Amino acid sequence: MLSAQLDEYLAEMNLSATEQQKKQLIGFVEMLNKWNKAYNLTSIRDPQQMLIRHIMDSLAVSPHLVGERFIDVGTGPGLPGIPLAIMNPDKTFVLLDSLGKRIRFQKQVQHELGIKNISSVESRVEAYQPETKFDGVLSRAFASIEDMLHWCHHLPTDDGCYYALKGQLAEDEMEKLPEEFEVTDVIELKVPRLDEQRHLLRVIKK
Ligand SMILES: C[S@@+](CC[C@H](N)C(=O)[O-])C[C@H]1O[C@@H](n2cnc3c(N)ncnc32)[C@H](O)[C@@H]1O
């Protein structure tokens, strides 16, 4: 059932996936569903809705990523980072969250599904000092853009950028951007069966 839906949605989004990648995406939904009661990972309880609202919503960002090394800040159970890592094995993703049980869940996912290009970090983002900086800093449902830029300014390379996955566009949020930053792209995302506005904002330091 889930796998037929996944095939349909991937086709609608013009994304192609190997059998192994599809197995991992479905496996991730199954693990979210199984661990949700004990670990309180998401308010969405129905696996079919998880597929749309978590997996496909995350994957809508995939065609817009530029670079190889990414960090997903405030990733929770690994969103959008885990679906993006599954579909982009040539890129690496650090999944950062301050809550230990979410990190434990991610590590279990990495182990059970054999996802090689993710690593999990338990830390507040402000305190995290990576050895190597990132081409892209991603977030979904994490903070206002202003707070994201404030807390993450030490993470991207000089020509790296920020990707914020948002619902309805908050013009006031964009107006409050510190003047050294610039929104270079506002991309309207199409997520199958999701009748809500979704946007990806790409921000750079001028
Ligand atoms: C609303 S959840 C969003 C989770 C996921 N990105 C998603 O889209 O489902 C926000 C997450 O950010 C984490 N968080 C909040 N403030 C943080 C901080 N300063 N540093 C690291 N993680 C933080 C929380 O623990 C939580 O898991």
Side-chain angles (χ1 to χ4, degrees):
M1 179 68 177
L2 276 182
S3 73
Q5 278 178 318
L6 176 63
D7 281 340
E8 194 181 323
Y9 301 159
L10 287 171
E12 279 181 38
M13 293 169 81
N14 279 324
L15 294 172
S16 60
T18 63
E19 287 309 312
Q20 168 74 354
Q21 286 169 323
K22 290 193 241 177
K23 229 169 118 181
Q24 288 173 321
L25 291 170
I26 298 289
F28 182 44
V29 174
E30 288 170 350
M31 288 188 73
L32 275 172
N33 190 37
K34 182 172 156 195
W35 287 58
N36 204 18
K37 282 190 195 81
Y39 272 54
N40 195 18
L41 300 168
T42 166
S43 59
I44 297 170
R45 306 277 164 205
D46 171 19
Q48 293 181 20
Q49 284 300 312
M50 286 180 186
L51 184 64
I52 295 168
R53 291 178 173 272
H54 289 327
I55 310 301
M56 306 324 290
D57 192 57
S58 298
L59 292 184
V61 176
S62 193
H64 306 290
L65 296 180
V66 178
E68 288 170 8
R69 202 176 133 71
F70 294 85
I71 181 166
D72 179 12
V73 296
T75 184
L79 295 163
I82 289 179
L84 288 172
I86 291 171
M87 290 294 276
N88 294 276
D90 54 331
K91 304 184 192 302
T92 60
F93 293 80
V94 169
L95 310 172
L96 178 138
D97 204 279
S98 53
L99 267 189
K101 63 182 181 176
R102 300 200 167 148
I103 297 298
R104 284 199 290 285
F105 171 73
Q106 293 166 24
K107 288 187 172 163
Q108 191 64 25
V109 170
Q110 178 179 25
H111 175 71
E112 274 189 38
L113 302 181
I115 304 170
K116 307 234 182 307
N117 55 334
I118 55 173
S119 54
S120 300
V121 174
E122 180 182 344
S123 172
R124 289 194 66 80
V125 67
E126 311 87 305
Y128 176 54
Q129 294 298 337
E131 278 175 20
T132 315
K133 301 210 175 208
F134 298 92
D135 299 320
V137 179
L138 295 159
S139 80
R140 187 186 88 145
F142 169 60
S144 67
I145 307 168
E146 191 187 9
D147 285 344
M148 178 189 179
L149 297 175
H150 183 60
W151 295 335
C152 301
H153 65 89
H154 56 299
L155 296 177
T157 58
D158 288 345
D159 54 359
C161 65
Y162 302 84
Y163 300 85
L165 185 46
K166 295 272 170 190
Q168 215 170 358
L169 268 195
E171 305 288 346
D172 55 330
E173 253 188 57
M174 285 165 65
E175 279 161 18
K176 278 194 207 144
L177 230 61
E179 60 181 33
E180 67 265 34
F181 293 99
E182 182 186 357
V183 178
T184 56
D185 303 274
V186 177
I187 301 160
E188 204 178 320
L189 301 174
K190 292 268 173 262
V191 181
R193 311 299 175 274
L194 193 60
D195 194 18
E196 283 167 25
Q197 287 190 30
R198 302 297 291 154
H199 291 95
L200 181 66
L201 267 58
R202 199 167 159 274
V203 179
I204 57 161
K205 193 161 183 207
K206 290 186 211 166

